[in-house]
Amino acid sequence: MGRLPAAGGARLVVIAAAGGYGKSTLPAQWRADVREQRAPAWLSVEGLGQDPVRLWTGVLGAVGRSA
């Protein structure tokens, strides 16, 4: 988890890894940190295929829900 707090003022942090590498656990731990004030946005791209419209619709929806 050491690198996430180092993201400091980053407006976007992307977590990408293979299954079983803690992609869900890591942001949950980060969000549990009382010093963290940013709202998380979550998007699973599995099943979106190669459709850029569906991808960006999902991205914008996730960001909109976290605001």
Side-chain angles (χ1 to χ4, degrees):
M1 187 171 113
R3 290 186 180 182
L4 281 178
R11 296 182 72 184
L12 174 68
V13 175
V14 176
I15 301 170
Y21 279 81
K23 295 180 298 296
S24 298
T25 303
L26 183 60
Q29 290 174 342
W30 189 26
R31 185 64 183 129
D33 186 337
V34 296
R35 298 168 293 180
E36 182 55 52
Q37 298 299 313
R38 292 176 281 191
W42 177 267
L43 175 66
S44 175
V45 297
E46 185 176 345
L48 294 180
Q50 300 294 321
D51 186 346
V53 172
R54 288 182 61 204
L55 171 66
W56 287 108
T57 299
V59 169
L60 294 174
V63 170
R65 286 187 300 274
S66 72

